[in-house]
Amino acid sequence: MKATVRAHPNIALVKYWGKRDEALILPHQSSLSLTLAPIHVTTTVEFGAPSDTVELHGHAARGSERDRVLRLLDAVRVQAGRDLGPAKVVSRGDFPMAAGLASSAAGFAALAVAGRAAAGLPQDTRASSILARRGSGSACRSVQGGFCEWMRGEREDGEDSYAVQRFDAGHWADLRMVVAILDRGEKEVKSRDGMKNTVETSPYYPAWVKDAEAEVPRARELIAKKDLEALGELCERNAWRMHSTSLAADPPLCYLNSATLGLIQHLREQRKKGVPVWFTLDAGPNPVLLTDAAHEVAAEALARACGAVDVVRCVPGGDATLLTEHLF
Ligand code: 2P0
């Protein structure tokens, strides 16, 4: 009745931005990501506890944060088909939570896999991905390592909306993602609210959906060929289009600040000098630089020169994994 899982966060190369179903967390378009190591979240779930308790990163979770965790475990109870009793959950991450890296993605992926294992359900990546998705959309892409594609699906019940691994972490071991933390502050508009506002008010939203869906198979081909330059260009294009669509919302959503823009513009000069480095950007001011192993030190140096207060260098990460050592 107790299980512990370690999962890695992921960074989308083709972003998920907008839901067609808010309750089930079903996206309007497919997305594609890379799972990132060595950073990770570890989560222990135990059923049969005296009462429901949720501790996230050293603090007792409250309000909607606590509810999201307990709702996911309710779905586990339904899958198990029996009364598992109250649950105790403890989760800890080893990377800066406000950095804009989706700690929720690693957290809900670990929770889904650990929850099912603690309930005695068999290991099943598809079932875990669907469960993780219901906690946080991007979490469905952190159940497996390497390059994962979240297929939007067509069904209203969401049973065909989950992530599959297209290439494992070893396929392109030389790829590097360098997170440039320019601002440690919490973002002003959470992804969930930002994407809702964009879906409802941005006149560019339908164009975003069509374009992003078409970019997924292109990205897959470039990953197959390990074409860093073309993948870098695709990533930048997709990030700009996500942010342009959000900028056109009402009220406008601007996640970039002046330091973000400074760093991004600097990359063009670096490329002219022969440094292969491109960016992607989630719903926050901290760019993630795409490069190769030979240039990760140069990428870190340029991020710091452009004002990064911290830098996290990442390599392709593996699957969410069961551990034998528990957090309590
Ligand atoms: C992504 N992001 O594809 C995109 C790009 C942020 C920008 O998924 O509401 O925490 O829990 O489904 O997954 C962040 O949003 O949102 C995200 P919910 P989530 O990685």
Side-chain angles (χ1 to χ4, degrees):
M1 295 280 269
K2 188 175 189 176
T4 300
V5 168
R6 169 174 292 181
H8 298 289
N10 69 77
I11 181 81
L13 308 175
V14 179
K15 311 289 185 195
Y16 141 59
W17 198 244
K19 300 176 181 66
R20 65 179 201 271
D21 184 315
E22 305 257 335
L24 288 174
I25 311 197
L26 299 177
H28 274 288
Q29 29 80 220
S30 305
S31 54
L32 197 155
S33 61
L34 175 64
T35 300
L36 302 178
I39 51 179
H40 59 264
V41 169
T42 306
T43 302
T44 299
V45 178
E46 182 174 33
F47 287 108
S51 63
D52 282 332
T53 53
V54 180
E55 184 197 305
L56 303 179
H57 316 302
H59 302 283
R62 292 181 214 294
S64 62
E65 200 178 37
R66 183 174 187 274
D67 292 346
R68 275 169 81 179
V69 170
L70 295 179
R71 260 205 312 274
L72 192 150
L73 295 179
D74 282 343
V76 172
R77 290 184 176 94
V78 171
Q79 291 179 1
R82 62 194 173 98
D83 183 13
L84 300 165
K88 179 173 178 180
V89 177
V90 175
S91 184
R92 280 183 211 139
D94 73 338
F95 57 101
M97 293 302 147
L101 278 174
S103 62
S104 66
F108 281 108
L111 182 70
V113 178
R116 281 181 55 89
L121 290 161
Q123 284 198 43
D124 179 334
T125 50
R126 176 172 173 268
S128 294
S129 182
I130 290 174
L131 197 56
R133 188 204 78 218
R134 292 172 61 173
S136 188
S138 53
C140 75
R141 301 184 311 233
S142 269
V143 169
Q144 287 180 285
F147 297 87
C148 291
E149 188 175 319
W150 176 9
M151 302 172 300
R152 72 180 290 279
E154 300 294 334
R155 287 171 57 145
E156 277 181 22
D157 65 4
E159 289 302 298
D160 59 353
S161 187
Y162 56 93
V164 292
Q165 184 188 64
R166 294 296 183 199
F167 306 92
D168 68 15
H171 166 71
W172 196 346
D174 192 41
L175 192 65
R176 294 291 180 272
M177 288 285 187
V178 177
V179 187
I181 300 166
L182 297 167
D183 183 347
R184 281 206 190 90
E186 289 278 342
K187 55 193 168 201
E188 279 169 34
V189 182
K190 289 191 187 315
S191 297
R192 191 160 286 198
D193 303 326
M195 61 177 90
K196 186 172 191 299
N197 179 31
T198 308
V199 173
E200 289 171 357
T201 68
S202 177
Y204 304 157
Y205 191 71
W208 155 260
V209 172
K210 193 167 169 235
D211 179 73
E213 194 68 47
E215 292 284 46
V216 170
R218 286 183 204 126
R220 205 195 298 141
E221 272 175 42
L222 298 174
I223 295 162
K225 288 193 284 189
K226 297 186 229 175
D227 185 337
L228 182 62
E229 182 173 358
L231 184 66
E233 284 170 3
L234 186 153
C235 278
E236 291 204 348
R237 186 163 78 218
N238 181 260
W240 279 125
R241 287 176 185 172
M242 183 195 110
H243 287 275
S244 310
T245 311
S246 303
L247 276 165
D250 184 15
L253 271 166
C254 185
Y255 287 109
L256 295 82
N257 62 27
S258 53
T260 315
L261 207 50
L263 173 48
I264 286 172
Q265 289 181 330
H266 188 61
L267 299 182
R268 220 172 299 155
E269 292 159 38
Q270 292 294 313
R271 290 199 292 266
K272 276 187 204 149
K273 288 183 195 160
V275 182
V277 59
W278 292 265
F279 78 92
T280 184
L281 187 70
D282 277 353
N286 300 321
V288 178
L289 307 182
L290 182 80
T291 188
D292 60 17
H295 295 91
E296 65 177 327
V297 172
E300 169 164 357
L302 79 86
R304 289 193 188 276
C306 289
V309 290
D310 204 354
V311 170
V312 184
R313 289 191 341 217
C314 300
V315 300
D319 297 348
T321 322
L322 277 162
L323 305 180
T324 49
E325 213 168 290
H326 303 296
L327 293 180
F328 60 88

